[in-house]
Amino acid sequence: MPTFLGMPAFPQAAARAVRDERLRANLRRATHTIRDKRARAVAELEDWERLRAAGTAIKDHTLRHLDRYLVQLEEAVTAAGGTVHWAADAEEANRIVADLVRTTGEGEVVKVKSMATQEIGLNEALAAEGITAYETDLAELIVQLGEDRPSHILVPAIHRNRGEIREIFAERMAAWGRPAPEGLTDSPAELAEAARLHLREKFLRARVAVSGANFMVAETGTLVVVESEGNGRMCLTLPRTLISVVGIEKVVPTWRDLEVFLQLLPRSSTAERMNPYTSLWTGVSEGDGPSEFHLVLLDNGRTGILADEVGRQTLRCIRCSACLNVCPVYERAGGHAYGSVYPGPIGAVLTPQLRGTASPVDASLPYASSLCGACYEVCPVAIDIPEVLVHLREKVAEQGGHGHRLERAAMGAAGYVLDHPAVLAAAERLAGRTRALHPRRLPGPGRAWTDSRDLPEVPAEPFRDWWRRNRP
Ligand code: SF4
């Protein structure tokens, strides 16, 4: 499969995905529905742009003083009866969680949907230690039962339609616990009921839960999870031990700051005015919820991102997924093509910063965009994703590779010609005289570009010559 200059892995994966008609139809239907609902929910608020500016300012302020707020958070969580652990990378975070679960003597945990735990591969790491992690979010359950990978931040099974979900439930539920009811159809109500019955068993049995958090409040040590199904509330309140793995960028300074984000997030993500379930907890309280609480603060590349002046805005992200739903590339390629748990525009900038750009897939991600800017327009914390993409492309080009050497040589030659008017005029005349010999398609690595585009016709006479002859 030919690739455009310097683009290895994403184009190959995307090319496979765009040939899958069912996948494209599922994605188109789902992203357009969420996108339209979001636009209506946002339009209801006259002060949306001011809220957006406030959210951006709070995040920027917090990131500038991240060290101070994290220490304040640790003190507040500890004072409220929780225990804070610091994890430099995925391996350390997984080891901490596995040790904590083993100490309880349990062999299984229930999970609240969490991008951070997917990022570090927690379920796989726990399985290697003989601990089973049960996903309790409906879409995550579908992904887990189907031995699939998530393809959307908010709707991980967005690539599946109702018929496929019915098949997965009917065939796989029994291997994980309570089987699907006999004669299950693909009606949404029946599918939801099957999941509810299956999960209820898990909630009632679980002694340990693992969660992430949408926000952490430094001044009080409070953690916040927003969700739509109530499964999170069950996990956060029923088990004896709660372990929360949270990226260090999720801290906000004060309780008041939540007011801004609890308006921005639901409208941007599920297009709701407020989340059906907003759970907040501060350490432990006797007779109310878990009696043991552990917070694992995860770096895993985040401080490296913080050190990059252009890239650090990525850490403002509140994982609403609005950028995915408006992205023309995501809509056609789907989430799996991004080779990471973070798909879409945010994945194209976050993954190469978290993992570096050494591998072909990570080096290709900054190119997984048309730079149309739709992601920037909808982002509730105004992350200029196109700016970060171009910044990352520069880095990838600097690190070399065949395609990038050619691209750089072409740009260098163009720069020289455009900088020397006499050379430019001579080149234009030569191009005009030889126009009959011009190929319709570029040769070599540029060929993929002309597979779907026409090369512009070169005029017989350059504009400047025409102007000299015709000016009054
Ligand atoms: S980059 Fe912006 S729009 Fe995309 S998920 Fe993050 S906060 Fe939402």
Side-chain angles (χ1 to χ4, degrees):
M1 181 72 204
T3 56
F4 184 45
L5 293 179
M7 289 176 65
F10 177 84
Q12 290 152 16
R16 270 196 299 279
V18 294
R19 282 198 294 271
D20 185 337
E21 278 181 31
R22 182 154 75 164
L23 173 72
R24 282 209 320 271
N26 293 350
L27 281 170
R28 191 171 48 246
R29 194 178 318 111
T31 55
H32 280 242
T33 306
I34 309 174
R35 172 199 307 192
D36 296 346
K37 276 174 67 185
R38 180 204 163 271
R40 283 196 296 275
V42 164
E44 285 180 355
L45 289 186
E46 275 175 22
D47 62 347
W48 179 257
E49 281 308 319
R50 289 207 296 279
L51 271 173
R52 191 177 182 235
T56 306
I58 293 167
K59 283 281 180 182
D60 281 349
H61 167 84
T62 314
L63 290 170
R64 249 193 327 272
H65 306 284
L66 192 58
D67 51 346
R68 167 151 61 90
Y69 287 120
L70 286 172
V71 170
Q72 189 185 6
L73 174 78
E74 180 182 32
E75 287 166 2
V77 170
T78 309
T83 307
V84 175
H85 310 258
W86 298 82
D89 54 25
E91 198 184 332
E92 191 174 6
N94 287 333
R95 187 173 43 71
I96 292 169
V97 178
D99 287 349
L100 289 170
V101 178
R102 250 200 316 266
T103 310
T104 66
E106 296 293 323
E108 56 184 41
V109 302
V110 284
K111 278 190 70 202
V112 187
K113 178 174 160 20
S114 142
M115 296 307 298
T117 58
Q118 281 180 26
E119 175 190 319
I120 61 176
L122 179 67
N123 289 11
E124 295 76 10
L126 289 178
E129 300 283 332
I131 300 162
T132 309
Y134 295 110
E135 295 291 349
T136 64
D137 170 87
L138 176 57
E140 290 289 359
L141 174 71
I142 295 164
V143 169
Q144 185 170 50
L145 295 179
E147 294 178 359
D148 201 352
R149 286 172 297 132
S151 66
H152 190 279
I153 291 177
L154 197 72
V155 201
I158 197 168
H159 54 290
R160 299 288 196 188
N161 62 26
R162 285 194 268 150
E164 293 173 276
I165 295 167
R166 192 208 71 80
E167 269 171 45
I168 291 170
F169 279 9
E171 286 169 18
R172 301 284 306 152
M173 257 185 179
W176 287 79
R178 183 180 172 127
E182 283 290 317
L184 179 69
T185 74
D186 66 0
S187 104
E190 278 192 39
L191 294 172
E193 179 65 2
R196 202 179 69 82
L197 293 169
H198 178 83
L199 290 171
R200 184 132 310 219
E201 260 188 16
K202 307 272 187 287
F203 293 134
L204 295 176
R205 203 173 61 210
R207 296 284 176 268
V208 185
V210 175
S211 83
N214 295 92
F215 307 102
M216 307 181 285
V217 182
E219 68 174 352
T220 56
T222 304
L223 270 73
V224 186
V225 163
V226 294
E227 41 120 8
S228 304
E229 298 170 14
N231 65 302
R233 177 72 55 85
M234 298 281 225
C235 293
L236 298 166
T237 50
L238 289 176
R240 283 192 207 126
T241 302
L242 172 61
I243 305 166
S244 301
V245 183
V246 190
I248 52 175
E249 81 282 15
K250 292 294 172 76
V251 66
V252 294
T254 67
W255 189 268
R256 266 188 80 181
D257 298 324
L258 285 181
E259 183 210 339
V260 173
F261 294 108
L262 292 182
Q263 292 182 76
L264 286 173
L265 181 55
R267 284 179 198 261
S268 284
S269 54
T270 47
E272 289 165 309
R273 292 176 181 140
M274 68 182 288
N275 281 88
Y277 294 90
T278 302
S279 301
L280 303 99
W281 69 102
T282 308
V284 290
S285 315
E286 209 181 318
D288 182 13
S291 50
E292 214 181 301
F293 169 56
H294 296 270
L295 170 60
V296 182
L297 288 171
L298 178 71
D299 183 334
N300 204 32
R302 286 160 174 78
T303 44
I305 299 177
L306 194 57
D308 184 317
E309 278 181 26
V310 179
R312 72 171 61 129
Q313 58 186 306
T314 315
L315 295 177
R316 288 187 211 138
C317 178
I318 55 174
R319 311 279 190 267
C320 71
S321 74
C323 56
L324 278 65
N325 301 327
V326 295
C327 177
V329 175
Y330 175 85
E331 185 187 320
R332 287 159 185 83
H336 292 158
Y338 294 79
S340 143
V341 296
Y342 298 110
I346 181 60
V349 290
L350 182 59
T351 307
Q353 293 188 84
L354 287 175
R355 299 198 302 212
T357 51
S359 75
V361 65
D362 293 330
S364 73
L365 287 175
Y367 295 87
S369 166
S370 63
L371 299 181
C372 70
C375 48
Y376 175 45
E377 265 174 46
V378 295
C379 179
V381 283
I383 300 173
D384 191 342
I385 293 178
E387 183 189 23
V388 184
L389 284 167
V390 171
H391 174 64
L392 292 170
R393 286 181 189 188
E394 274 174 32
K395 287 191 173 185
V396 173
E398 270 164 23
Q399 78 192 20
H402 178 63
H404 295 297
R405 277 202 298 276
L406 283 175
E407 191 176 6
R408 222 174 7 205
M411 288 299 161
Y416 177 82
V417 172
L418 293 171
D419 214 22
H420 295 79
V423 179
L424 178 62
E428 284 173 347
R429 273 186 214 114
L430 181 67
R433 281 186 202 126
T434 57
R435 59 204 285 263
L437 306 172
H438 293 177
R440 302 301 305 153
R441 297 170 74 191
L442 289 174
R447 187 179 157 148
W449 198 77
T450 47
D451 276 349
S452 54
R453 296 171 182 84
D454 293 325
L455 278 180
E457 288 265 340
V458 176
E461 181 181 31
F463 172 76
R464 277 189 283 197
D465 291 357
W466 178 90
W467 179 250
R468 212 170 287 125
R469 272 195 306 107
N470 289 290
R471 72 177 160 190

